[in-house]
Amino acid sequence: MTKQIRKIGVMTSGGDAPGMNAAIRSVVRTCAFHNIECIGIYRGYEGMIEGDFKILDARSVNHIIHKGGTFLKSARSKEFRTKEGRQKAYLQLKSVGIDALVLIGGDGTFTGGMIFNQEFNFPVIGIPGTIDNDILGTNFTLGYDTALNTAVEAIDKIRDTASSHKRLFFVEVMGRDVGHIALNAGVGAGAEEILVPEEDLGLDRLLESLEKSRKTGKSSSIVVVAEGDKTGKNVFELADYVEENLEGYDVRVSVLGHMQRGGSPSCFDRVLASRMGVKAVESLMEGKSNFMVGTINNKLELYPIDKAVKGHSEIDHELLRVSDIMSI
């Protein structure tokens, strides 16, 4: 017989992402709708160990759906990586009667939740919140769409300067070891070249492509580089190499950095967060555990957390082909 869930804890962990607040709001209000008490856990697993809890009701999450970041705060916890730390967290949860957890974060968050579930048979459901979109089992993670729009807007502004001064700009975007942001933002912003970890373009081909662009009449160019790309040791050395070996361009570098994590979430991320929060709570009520809520072809599905943390989502190779055609 499935144990009745009476009190659910919700937390955010790892890097923040736009849409996390909307997801918290959804979890809290779904709990209120079903007469389940909701406890906010501040500062992720660190706050869980320290018992940094607060009761949340429907009014506690007023006016946060449009805000970036996470009002529950986030932190990385070395102590939770130890069995002793997880034991402390378990005792803190039991002391206030929390029956189950909704974890909002990325693969590190889910790995911690998966181990916690295995050790204490504690029900957990994950909501993928990371701008990198690198979680297997979902087409989109919370924050990815907003980060894309932020990157495209920034690249559009950089192009104005590039075209005014006949410059070649290398624009580095986030994404860790995957190229989803770089590829989609590059196509959306009309970049001449896109460098992603999944495809090694190589320095010679990059020079050849840029030289070809110049000969066809382009007086300025944008190269979007994923932070995990290995074409050069880093984007600055890559820019230096091109400047030394390619005449006719004034080369500049712009690293967009953490600005891509912030800002008001897009409508897409707000709606996705709202849907995922409802699905997470109602899945726990149905006795489901150790799953992540994902969206496949716009339909919400449960995906095993252990599979989600062991793999990475694949880059769209058809979009790579589109980018080659568009950059002619």
Side-chain angles (χ1 to χ4, degrees):
M1 183 176 177
T2 303
K3 180 183 176 183
Q4 185 177 359
I5 301 296
R6 300 181 183 276
K7 189 177 293 190
I8 291 176
V10 58
M11 56 166 265
T12 52
S13 177
D16 62 291
M20 281 185 164
N21 277 327
I24 297 166
R25 173 181 179 270
S26 177
V27 170
V28 172
R29 292 195 168 177
T30 305
C31 284
F33 181 84
H34 291 290
N35 296 313
I36 295 172
E37 191 171 354
C38 189
I39 304 294
I41 301 169
Y42 284 78
R43 297 178 295 113
Y45 289 121
E46 194 72 11
M48 191 184 296
I49 291 171
E50 296 174 7
D52 192 359
F53 305 149
K54 182 179 179 180
I55 297 173
L56 301 176
D57 59 24
R59 300 287 75 78
S60 302
V61 289
N62 281 352
H63 313 305
I64 67 169
I65 192 171
H66 63 290
K67 293 182 178 179
T70 163
F71 92 93
L72 288 179
K73 311 301 181 186
S74 185
R76 303 185 191 276
S77 175
K78 290 184 179 179
E79 190 175 3
F80 193 80
R81 296 177 184 176
T82 68
K83 192 164 186 177
E84 294 76 17
R86 293 190 293 272
Q87 178 69 30
K88 287 182 185 177
Y90 175 73
L91 293 175
Q92 291 282 16
L93 295 177
K94 298 307 290 183
S95 70
V96 295
I98 294 177
D99 300 309
L101 292 171
V102 175
L103 312 173
I104 307 170
D107 54 2
T109 303
F110 293 164
T111 298
M114 178 181 67
I115 296 171
F116 193 72
N117 170 266
Q118 292 169 351
E119 290 180 344
F120 302 104
N121 193 30
F122 203 92
V124 299
I125 292 285
I127 293 177
T130 166
I131 68 167
D132 299 335
N133 202 42
D134 60 348
I135 303 293
L136 193 65
T138 185
N139 293 141
F140 302 104
T141 57
L142 295 184
Y144 172 60
D145 183 71
T146 304
L148 271 184
N149 288 321
T150 298
V152 168
E153 183 178 356
I155 296 168
D156 285 347
K157 294 176 189 291
I158 290 169
R159 186 177 288 282
D160 291 343
T161 292
S163 60
S164 296
H165 297 275
K166 295 186 178 181
R167 284 175 178 164
L168 164 61
F169 264 90
F170 285 86
V171 183
E172 184 185 271
V173 298
M174 295 180 82
R176 203 165 53 173
D177 298 320
V178 294
H180 294 295
I181 292 177
L183 178 56
N184 284 269
V187 172
E192 278 65 40
E193 283 295 342
I194 303 167
L195 307 183
V196 296
E198 294 88 346
E199 295 285 327
D200 186 5
L201 180 65
L203 291 170
D204 290 340
R205 190 186 151 199
L206 175 61
L207 289 175
E208 181 183 331
S209 174
L210 292 171
E211 179 65 22
K212 182 179 178 182
S213 293
R214 193 180 58 152
K215 287 181 177 179
T216 59
K218 291 186 178 181
S219 61
S220 64
S221 287
I222 298 288
V223 178
V224 176
V225 185
E227 61 181 340
D229 179 69
K230 299 299 188 292
T231 305
K233 289 184 179 178
N234 58 57
V235 69
F236 294 99
E237 288 195 10
L238 180 60
D240 289 341
Y241 178 85
V242 170
E243 190 163 36
E244 291 168 4
N245 292 275
L246 186 67
E247 295 181 357
Y249 277 123
D250 183 11
V251 183
R252 293 288 189 272
V253 173
S254 182
V255 178
L256 299 188
H258 285 77
M259 67 176 288
Q260 295 159 91
R261 277 192 183 174
S264 181
S266 65
C267 179
F268 181 90
D269 277 328
R270 298 183 199 192
V271 173
L272 183 61
S274 300
R275 295 173 65 202
M276 285 183 165
V278 172
K279 182 71 172 179
V281 171
E282 293 184 344
S283 295
L284 286 170
M285 292 173 62
E286 294 167 1
K288 305 288 176 53
S289 177
N290 220 27
F291 286 99
M292 177 196 78
V293 179
T295 174
I296 304 295
N297 298 325
N298 203 36
K299 183 179 179 182
L300 292 185
E301 305 280 358
L302 292 181
Y303 192 78
I305 281 185
D306 60 338
K307 290 184 178 180
V309 301
K310 288 177 182 176
H312 288 293
S313 54
E314 292 290 326
I315 200 163
D316 187 345
H317 289 275
E318 174 61 21
L319 194 55
L320 278 171
R321 195 176 75 86
V322 169
S323 72
D324 287 339
I325 295 171
M326 291 298 102
S327 63
I328 190 169

